[in-house]
Structures are given as C-alpha cells and as structure tokens.
C-alpha cells in the first residue's frame, strides 16, 4: 500500500475509533443517511440531533439512577424519571416540594403524582419529611452514575457549544 492510501486508511480508522470512543458512531451512520433527500429539510439539524440525543440519553440515565447500581433497571418509565428530577430540583434549590407542588411541576394530577412518589419511596430513591420530598440522603450526597452523566453532557455540549456561543453575541 502506498503512503497516500496508508494515510487515508489510518485517517478513516482514527475517525471511526474516535467516533466510537465518544459514542458518536450513531452519528456517522446517520450522517450517511442524512445525504438522502428529506421531504422537508430540518433547520439546525446537527444541533437538534445533539439536543435530542442528549435528552434521550439523560432520560434513560435518570431512570437508571432509580435502581441500585447492581440491579438491572426495569423498562424506562419517563414519568418516574421526570418526578425524580423534580424532587432533585426542589432539593437543589433548597425549596423541597410537596406532592401538590410536584404535581404542578410535572403537570400531572396530584393523585397520580402521589402514587408515583410512594413508588419512589418504596424503591429508596426519595424520602418524605413533614410532607416535603427530598432525595434519599446517600443519593443527595453522591451522584449515582456520575460518569455516565458527565459523558452525555460532554458529548452534547461538544456539538452544541459552537451554536450556543453564537447566542452570546
């Protein structure tokens, strides 16, 4: 193999490994599909793809934090994940919420929210103190699966950063 072909092959292999290392192999496959003529072109396709990927991966990751690290999570339940995030938000803002406030936050009925809160208490994810909901103390002090969240955010912001920096001007 001559030098040109060796360098080209090496460059292609490096890109494939880099894409796979950073979890972007799905983007390579999709970018090949993106050359296909779409009925309606999508504005800001790379940014929207990155945002959608981040949302999906964060949703699944939040769901996985509901379960102990050594336990296989059940089928993702976005309602439980959103409720955990709402409890975490109240806890992080030092304004823990009641069941009614959480229901309003997640735009669900108080009855449904209360039932889901009871499930999260049974799973050991949250606790209720004087009618307000908090993350369970160990989960409050530590960040379960932090490495996964760091990777998801770094991948997304690597793609979204240039677009976001344009908004500052």
């Amino acid at each position: 193999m001559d030098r040109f072909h060796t360098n080209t092959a090496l460059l292609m292999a490096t890109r494939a490994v880099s894409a796979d290392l950073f979890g972007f192999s799905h983007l390579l496959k999709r970018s090949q599909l993106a050359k296909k003529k779409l009925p309606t072109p999508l504005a800001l396709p790379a940014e929207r793809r990155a945002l959608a990927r981040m949302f999906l991966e964060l949703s699944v990751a939040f769901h996985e934090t509901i379960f102990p690290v050594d336990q296989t999570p059940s089928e993702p339940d976005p309602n439980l994940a959103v409720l955990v995030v709402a409890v975490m938000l109240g806890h992080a803002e030092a304004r823990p919420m009641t069941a009614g406030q959480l229901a309003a936050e997640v735009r669900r009925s108080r009855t449904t929210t209360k039932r889901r809160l009871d499930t999260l208490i049974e799973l050991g994810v949250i606790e209720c103190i004087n009618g307000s909901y908090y993350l369970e103390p160990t989960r409050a002090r530590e960040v379960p699966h932090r490495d996964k969240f760091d990777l998801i955010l770094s991948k997304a912001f690597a793609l979204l950063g240039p677009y976001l920096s344009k908004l500052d001007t």
Side-chain angles (χ1 to χ4, degrees):
M1 197 181 274
D2 67 8
R3 187 176 199 161
F4 172 77
H5 288 97
T6 302
N7 287 342
T8 303
L10 183 59
L11 178 62
M12 290 172 63
T14 302
R15 285 182 181 163
V17 168
S18 296
D20 193 47
L21 279 175
F22 292 106
F24 293 134
S25 56
H26 63 279
L27 295 180
L28 290 177
K29 293 172 194 162
R30 289 205 176 112
S31 69
Q32 293 164 353
L33 293 174
K35 294 176 184 172
K36 189 174 155 180
K37 180 85 168 139
L38 298 175
T40 305
L42 187 65
L44 301 171
E47 293 82 359
R48 290 168 93 175
R49 184 178 58 230
L51 191 59
R53 173 69 45 204
M54 180 179 70
F55 177 80
L56 290 171
E57 290 180 1
L58 284 173
S59 296
V60 171
F62 274 115
H63 178 75
E64 289 175 356
T65 66
I66 294 171
F67 300 91
V69 176
D70 60 345
Q71 183 180 342
T72 303
S74 66
E75 182 178 348
D77 182 343
N79 295 307
L80 284 179
V82 166
L83 194 52
V84 169
V85 172
V87 170
M88 182 180 67
L89 177 63
H91 198 146
E93 291 179 341
R95 293 182 10 214
M97 293 183 250
T98 65
Q101 290 168 320
L102 287 162
E105 187 73 31
V106 299
R107 293 167 184 81
R108 298 288 181 259
S109 73
R110 188 185 182 291
T111 305
T112 300
T113 300
K114 181 69 172 108
R115 188 178 71 248
R116 290 185 180 133
L117 288 167
D118 290 343
T119 299
L120 292 170
I121 289 171
E122 287 174 24
L123 290 169
V125 179
I126 64 171
E127 61 184 8
C128 182
I129 301 171
N130 298 325
S132 294
Y133 292 86
Y134 301 83
L135 289 178
E136 178 272 329
T138 302
R139 290 171 187 273
R141 285 189 303 272
E142 300 170 13
V143 180
H145 305 288
R146 181 176 178 173
D147 56 336
K148 184 178 286 191
F149 285 100
D150 289 346
L151 180 60
I152 292 167
L153 294 172
S154 66
K155 287 189 313 187
F157 286 113
L159 293 170
L160 291 171
Y163 174 74
L164 295 173
S165 67
K166 291 177 193 174
L167 298 177
D168 288 340
T169 58

